[in-house]
Amino acid sequence: MTRRSILHCTMLVIPFMLYMYFAIIFDLITNVPDHEENGITGDSFPTLKANFSNFERAGSVDFLVNNSTTYYCKEYESKCQNNIKFNCQNIKQIKLLEKIGHGVTKQAFLGLYKGEEVVVKMVTRHQKEARECLNELLGSDSSDVVKRSKCFVFPTMKLMKEILMLHQLKHEGFLRLLGFCARSEESDSTDLSEHGVIAVYERGTILSVGKLKSLSTENKVRQSLHLVSFFQYLATSPLGSLRVRDFKMEHFLMVNSTIKMIDLDDVDNIEPSCDAYSIESNTQKPPCSYNLKCEMGLCNGHNAKRNIEKANELFFTNLLTPDAFPGECFKMLQHIHHSLRELSVNYGDLQRSLKELLDSVIYLH
């Protein structure tokens, strides 16, 4: 079996393992008398804590520009963990106001809890994957409960994957998970006291190219620094080097003046496979993109390069437009854009260049 076949098999097995994980946890807690409702809650969920020693430092969130590794404050991780406020016992107290978004596998609703707006994600029968599966069952099989439930397995797995990943990934660049409940496979009802798997997040505002360009010059540089920190974290995360496969503006929001990613459906740590011997064959095509070496059958470093390439197309070209900066900053901007286009700079160097640009903007203001 080739390495590519193994990777494809792994991608098929992982969803099943995640689904079985939640099923086992659910089975273990259904007889616990202290729970008001059977289900996995934000409080009872086992903490999936990785070793963050390489990413912690005391003090406020900042960027260390004299090191190739980005650090973030220990307080952020603590703040994020302590902000899990919803579980199966109180999630039904959220009042759903309206649908505000949807993807291939799940819907997002605006909710209100004690005067605070939150976003509720859940899988429903109206989403593309579930709807297409249910349409195939029209007729005699439409009343088959077992077959209907299978239509929701993969979409529900994706939502559970997002919950699990956010429990392990701690960076301000992710939309904050405020809580969740996983009690069953029920997906027909949007009643929060019955629905099977529900996730609750902080509320953000829609991000657009126009909004990026309307930011102040100083804020544009600060957002750029934040994004470099975020994508470096993805490259060195506790789960490995993560790649954002479906990279588009709709998957990011502005929350409290910070750009955050909101959808982890298509985030994984699989580097492209390669054939180390192809370079010796007659083909002129190199085994890996970005002039990377093929090591142990993988193009290691591809995910990080791809992320920063897409981030440049989506964010940096709109945040760091020369006409929005003082003329004295032109050479610095030219150097940054060249480095991003050629992907010839590491995260530490890029942070240093942006920090120098920020100092200049503040001085010239």
Side-chain angles (χ1 to χ4, degrees):
M1 182 179 288
T2 65
R3 181 174 292 274
R4 183 176 291 277
S5 298
I6 294 173
L7 290 173
H8 286 172
C9 290
T10 302
M11 288 299 292
L12 292 174
V13 171
I14 288 176
F16 176 75
M17 293 177 65
L18 285 170
Y19 184 77
M20 290 302 298
Y21 176 83
F22 271 87
I24 292 170
I25 297 297
F26 172 70
D27 184 64
L28 289 173
I29 68 172
T30 49
N31 294 319
V32 178
D34 291 339
H35 287 274
E36 181 178 303
E37 301 179 49
N38 290 338
I40 305 172
T41 73
D43 292 338
S44 64
F45 191 88
T47 301
L48 303 175
K49 187 175 178 65
N51 180 7
F52 292 100
S53 60
N54 291 331
F55 299 96
E56 295 179 351
R57 73 164 210 158
S60 60
V61 175
D62 201 354
F63 304 95
L64 293 186
V65 297
N66 59 350
N67 194 303
S68 61
T69 302
T70 301
Y71 290 75
Y72 67 98
C73 68
K74 188 172 182 178
E75 285 79 3
Y76 176 75
E77 182 185 341
S78 175
K79 180 181 178 182
C80 189
Q81 291 176 341
N82 293 336
N83 212 18
I84 297 296
K85 62 174 66 173
F86 296 106
N87 53 43
C88 289
Q89 297 180 6
N90 67 355
I91 207 164
K92 63 186 177 183
Q93 296 175 19
I94 299 174
K95 180 182 179 181
L96 296 183
L97 301 178
E98 60 178 331
K99 188 184 81 170
I100 57 175
H102 64 86
V104 176
T105 59
K106 52 188 177 287
Q107 285 185 309
F109 298 85
L110 176 62
L112 192 65
Y113 177 77
K114 296 183 178 179
E116 176 187 0
E117 289 186 340
V118 295
V119 174
V120 178
K121 286 187 185 181
M122 66 178 86
V123 175
T124 74
R125 65 178 184 272
H126 302 293
Q127 293 316 107
K128 182 180 178 181
E129 288 189 358
R131 186 176 66 249
E132 290 178 351
C133 177
L134 291 171
N135 287 339
E136 292 177 1
L137 296 178
L138 288 177
S140 59
D141 290 334
S142 61
S143 60
D144 191 316
V145 176
V146 175
K147 289 184 177 180
R148 280 180 59 84
S149 66
K150 288 182 179 179
C151 292
F152 298 99
V153 170
F154 189 68
T156 300
M157 179 284 301
K158 281 202 167 186
L159 179 55
M160 292 192 296
K161 169 196 168 186
E162 184 169 282
I163 294 170
L164 281 168
M165 290 186 75
L166 287 174
H167 261 274
Q168 299 172 88
L169 300 171
K170 306 299 178 186
H171 192 281
E172 197 179 12
F174 293 107
L175 191 69
R176 186 169 297 161
L177 179 69
L178 300 180
F180 64 91
C181 173
R183 59 166 72 90
S184 70
E185 295 82 17
E186 166 61 46
S187 296
D188 277 342
S189 171
T190 56
D191 187 335
L192 297 186
S193 64
E194 299 177 357
H195 198 85
V197 180
I198 308 163
V200 186
Y201 302 82
E202 62 184 338
R203 175 86 190 278
T205 57
I206 294 175
L207 198 58
S208 66
V209 172
K211 184 169 288 187
L212 292 178
K213 290 186 175 181
S214 69
L215 297 174
S216 69
T217 304
E218 181 179 335
N219 198 6
K220 287 178 179 178
V221 184
R222 292 190 183 279
Q223 292 297 335
S224 297
L225 276 166
H226 160 71
L227 288 168
V228 171
S229 167
F230 176 61
F231 288 110
Q232 181 174 3
Y233 179 80
L234 292 185
T236 57
S237 85
L239 304 182
S241 180
L242 299 176
R243 175 183 173 184
V244 183
R245 292 185 177 271
D246 193 11
F247 211 116
K248 53 188 178 183
M249 192 72 76
E250 291 83 355
H251 288 171
F252 293 85
L253 290 177
M254 186 73 80
V255 184
N256 297 326
S257 301
T258 301
I259 297 173
K260 298 192 178 188
M261 190 167 74
I262 65 172
D263 197 318
L264 279 70
D265 270 8
D266 298 300
V267 174
D268 62 56
N269 64 353
I270 300 176
E271 302 270 23
S273 59
C274 57
D275 183 359
Y277 299 100
S278 64
I279 196 169
E280 299 174 4
S281 65
N282 294 327
T283 178
Q284 297 297 314
K285 184 179 179 180
C288 296
S289 303
Y290 309 115
N291 294 319
L292 294 170
K293 293 182 178 180
C294 183
E295 300 176 344
M296 301 295 290
L298 292 174
C299 299
N300 288 317
H302 177 276
N303 290 351
K305 293 276 190 182
R306 182 69 171 173
N307 282 343
I308 205 68
E309 179 183 52
K310 290 298 182 180
N312 184 41
E313 295 173 3
L314 192 65
F315 293 116
F316 299 126
T317 55
N318 294 305
L319 287 169
L320 303 176
T321 52
D323 58 351
F325 287 79
E328 292 87 344
C329 300
F330 180 77
K331 286 188 177 180
M332 284 184 282
L333 286 166
Q334 192 176 39
H335 171 71
I336 291 171
H337 282 299
H338 176 77
S339 299
L340 287 169
R341 281 195 306 270
E342 299 298 320
L343 299 177
S344 59
V345 63
N346 62 40
Y347 290 105
D349 291 339
L350 186 54
Q351 287 179 9
R352 276 189 288 274
S353 296
L354 287 170
K355 186 62 168 60
E356 290 175 6
L357 178 62
L358 179 62
D359 291 340
S360 296
V361 168
I362 293 174
Y363 175 78
L364 294 170
H365 186 267

